[in-house]
Amino acid sequence: MASKEEVSQVSATLDNLDVAGEKPPSKNALKKAAKHEKKAADKPHHSPASAVKSEGTKTASKPAGKNAKIQGAALIGVGVDKELDFAGWYQQVLTKGDLIDYYDVQGCYILKPGSWSIWEKVQRWFNDEIEAMGVENCSFPMFISAKVLEREKDHIEGFAPEVAWVTKAGKSDLEEPIAIRPTSETVMYPYYAKYIRSHRDLPLRWNQWNSVVRWEFKHPMPFLRSREFNWQEGHTAHLTEAGAGQEVREILELYAGVYEQLLAVPVIRGKKTEKEKFAGGLYTTTVEGYIPTTGRGIQGATSHCLGQNFSKMFDITVEDPSAKEGEKKDPLYVWQNSWGLSTRVIGVMIMIHGDNKGLVLPPRIARYQVVIVPVGINVKTTEEEKTKLFGSIDALAKTLKGAGVRVHVDDRDGYGPGYKFNDWELKGVPLRLEVGPGEIQGAYVTTARRDLKAKEQLAIADLATKVPALLNTIQADLYGKADASFKSHIKQVTEWKHFVPALNDKNVILMPHCLQEKCEDEVKELSARKEAGDETPEDARAPSMGAKSLCIPFEQPPGVTEGETPCTNPHCKNKAEAWCLFGRSY
């Protein structure tokens, strides 16, 4: 139960939030807020705050004299500064924004309606797109027998440390342990060999939405690194390499669409190096994002061409359609792809758009695009006046719903407008409409964009057209801001002496590189050390971990000449093959 001191602290803070003369939150509401805050503070030891701080090879304390706590912040709101304590900020935004809760199995999280609704919108958009391509949804079991999993040595070696095994049923040991899928190639492909009997069965294009388990030994982090996570995984088979390759790029473009069109997050499209490609695949394409606060890159989603490796392993063949009547030709192994997008998209979006007031949600994926908050109600307001006001508000909500806007009316009793403003800002609703007797009399509403501080007025007669247009503007502005930030932090470097300083300034580096695995390892090792005279303070936002290759961007700037341009690694004698993007990453 909340103490008197805690209730008093919440009350004092909320006094500054409310509108003069209006009814403050009830004592019961204050107690609830204090209790909520105390519960968040008492979270178990496996919280993401400690997880994020522990990532990397080394982290140091915050710069001396800088306190991350936001002075005067409401207990119901975010209490730490994003720039000074990113880990603590991320933890509070997720929990106070009502997106997740912790589970009693470390590394697993409860996705509450606030976050699941975002994932559902991603699902709907992506499903519509892949169904138009001819992809069908299906569902395969989560269990894999040991003998099947171990058939593809290179593939399983990439996941072996993370595979979870079922060894008991009740009190009895299983005769053979059963793996829980970390991914479904070895689950599905033995049956693809059964279903694909002729070239007329191609392409076979199936997708499933499920959860997978990867028993991470690293520190878990909600949405970015958890032991169970939700995703979609597409698995397709094609007659030719060209057909498979075309689909790889089509899917990658859809992944870019999820980030750029829905989440307002810019990404770079590219190909992974041989070192970073999917284990057992021919090549991997990727969309890569950037987190400005930490200066790290982050892999957004991947689309893999598996080549014929798995079809040879599982004997997935068809007859050669070029064979003439009576001519016998060897069967052809099919070409396969796999591609996946996970709930990581939610974490990336939060890290990029969120601020010290909480979540900032792009309108296209927000659970509620608009919240209407009644204002101007005080102790002198009669029941008749309240009834009239709420009737007008319901009519406004109906108008907006008719225009295709997801709208919510906050008619909670016992909470003043100031409390509600803070609450909905914390939850990231893109647009707030304030409606009181004065607004109804003047035939307008007061608007407050979540991404801006300014308020404006809109005529009630124009709501059905102006609000959707304003939501589109918010979506575009969020993308534009994030895109400008990303582009300003991509630095082209051709001399090693500029590499580490640029990295320490929270940039990702585009440099000429030979694309050899040994050289990538050297770059990571060299960039993990501080150059002589570099006195840049280390902290959790700019760790001393080395840079890894993020991707070889498809859009290559001029400046790399085959056989002439040297690799930027000072210890490498090879010539550069392409511009490669390097950075510290999640």
Side-chain angles (χ1 to χ4, degrees), residues 304-344:
H304 317 284
C305 180
L306 303 179
Q308 297 173 307
N309 186 30
F310 287 92
S311 63
K312 290 177 179 178
M313 182 62 61
F314 293 99
D315 196 28
I316 310 173
T317 62
V318 297
E319 81 288 355
D320 190 335
S322 68
K324 298 177 182 177
E325 188 175 351
E327 182 183 8
K328 188 171 183 179
K329 286 190 173 184
D330 292 335
L332 301 177
Y333 290 101
V334 302
W335 293 81
Q336 291 179 264
N337 296 333
S338 70
W339 26 273
L341 175 87
S342 77
T343 44
R344 166 175 283 217

Side-chain angles (χ1 to χ4, degrees), residues 512 559-567 574-577:
V560 173
T561 303
E562 187 177 354
E564 295 182 10
T565 305
C567 179
N574 296 321
K575 298 300 181 183
E577 292 188 21

Side-chain angles (χ1 to χ4, degrees), residues 172-188:
S172 303
D173 292 334
L174 297 181
E175 290 185 9
E176 179 187 18
I178 298 174
I180 301 176
R181 64 183 170 213
T183 181
S184 295
E185 282 78 8
T186 52
V187 177
M188 300 171 75

